[in-house]
């Protein structure tokens, strides 16, 4: 038996948007339950994101440490960013984020995994890419600001990150999912078994 998430949509009898922010908003839906009752659900509406697990020839992962105000922590993360343009190709967005945050380019791209970060309270969908054959990017460096101006950059062996995740030392969602997924892939069928970089993504349909 194949275990697979399936799309389904329960009837919404009323909806409103009590808050609109710069990139996200909050929506309130009245949702009809299977027993006929109607309950109210509040959730964050999110454009979606991409993240990049960039692996160098020595088996090290490119990571960034960035301050995240909501959790009052500096977190080690993998490069990531919003899908700012509706219908944007996620591969192009991932390549842009890797360049802007780490000044790195990659020759080999594959889909590592797709996740909903917090489906109980947010509709954010993230596609995590595996990027290999990496090297320094060409052209001018992207000018960073705000929290990104204080970022630190490091290359860490994959197994060190796995140990950090399991020890409870690393908490960023995309990093945790990315490094554990890659460790599983490398211990199993290998990176060549991963989906191509342009694989369909029903959660955030895009133009090729």
């Amino acid at each position: 038996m194949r275990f697979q998430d399936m799309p389904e949509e329960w009837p919404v009898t009323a909806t409103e948007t009590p808050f609109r922010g710069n990139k996200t908003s909050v929506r309130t839906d009245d949702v009809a339950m299977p027993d006929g009752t109607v309950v109210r659900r509040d959730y964050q509406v999110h454009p979606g994101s991409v993240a990049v697990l960039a692996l160098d020839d020595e088996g090290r992962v490119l990571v960034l440490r960035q301050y995240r105000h909501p959790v009052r922590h500096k977190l080690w993360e993998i490069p990531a960013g919003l899908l700012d343009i509706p219908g944007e190709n996620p591969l192009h967005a991932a390549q842009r984020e890797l360049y802007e945050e780490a000044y790195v380019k990659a020759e080999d791209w594959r889909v590592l995994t797709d996740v909903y970060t917090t489906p109980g309270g947010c509709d954010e969908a993230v596609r995590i890419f595996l990027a290999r054959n990496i090297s320094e990017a060409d052209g001018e460096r992207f000018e960073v600001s705000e929290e990104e101006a204080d970022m630190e950059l490091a290359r860490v062996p994959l197994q060190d990150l796995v140990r950090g995740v399991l020890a409870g030392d690393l908490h960023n969602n995309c990093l945790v999912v990315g490094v554990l997924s890659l460790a599983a892939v490398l211990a199993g069928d290998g990176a060549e078994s991963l989906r191509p970089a342009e694989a369909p993504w029903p959660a955030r349909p895009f133009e090729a």
Side-chain angles (χ1 to χ4, degrees), residues 69-93:
H69 184 70
V71 295
R72 309 308 198 266
H73 270 69
K74 271 191 171 182
L75 300 179
W76 285 106
E77 307 178 350
I78 56 177
L82 297 175
L83 289 167
D84 295 309
I85 305 168
E88 182 178 18
N89 187 308
L91 174 59
H92 299 165

Side-chain angles (χ1 to χ4, degrees), residues 141-156:
R141 287 183 177 272
F142 181 77
E143 185 175 345
V144 296
S145 61
E146 300 173 353
E147 289 92 341
E148 292 184 351
D150 189 54
M151 285 195 309
E152 302 171 52
L153 178 66
R155 296 191 183 196
V156 182

Side-chain angles (χ1 to χ4, degrees), residues 181-201:
S181 295
L182 181 58
V185 165
L186 296 180
D189 296 330
E192 304 303 319
S193 68
L194 292 169
R195 288 171 290 163
E198 297 278 6
W201 189 17

Side-chain angles (χ1 to χ4, degrees), residues 148-184:
E148 292 184 351
D150 189 54
M151 285 195 309
E152 302 171 52
L153 178 66
R155 296 191 183 196
V156 182
L158 175 64
Q159 288 306 314
D160 287 355
L161 295 175
V162 171
R163 283 190 284 269
V165 168
L166 299 179
D169 295 332
L170 300 170
H171 306 89
N172 175 263
N173 182 286
C174 291
L175 182 145
V176 170
V177 173
V179 300
L180 295 183
S181 295
L182 181 58

Side-chain angles (χ1 to χ4, degrees), residues 54-137:
L55 189 69
D56 70 14
D57 294 339
E58 298 178 35
R60 300 175 302 175
V61 177
L62 192 155
V63 292
L64 310 163
R65 189 159 74 157
Q66 184 172 349
Y67 177 66
R68 293 301 187 183
H69 184 70
V71 295
R72 309 308 198 266
H73 270 69
K74 271 191 171 182
L75 300 179
W76 285 106
E77 307 178 350
I78 56 177
L82 297 175
L83 289 167
D84 295 309
I85 305 168
E88 182 178 18
N89 187 308
L91 174 59
H92 299 165
Q95 291 169 333
R96 180 186 69 236
E97 293 299 332
L98 186 60
Y99 163 72
E100 291 182 356
E101 294 193 350
Y103 197 64
V104 164
K105 62 182 179 180
E107 298 299 324
D108 185 85
W109 290 83
R110 296 176 188 274
V111 175
L112 185 54
T113 191
D114 299 324
V115 294
Y116 291 115
T117 54
T118 48
C122 179
D123 71 351
E124 180 184 16
V126 180
R127 169 156 282 188
I128 305 176
F129 289 90
L130 172 64
R132 298 183 297 172
N133 299 337
I134 65 174
S135 60
E136 185 173 294

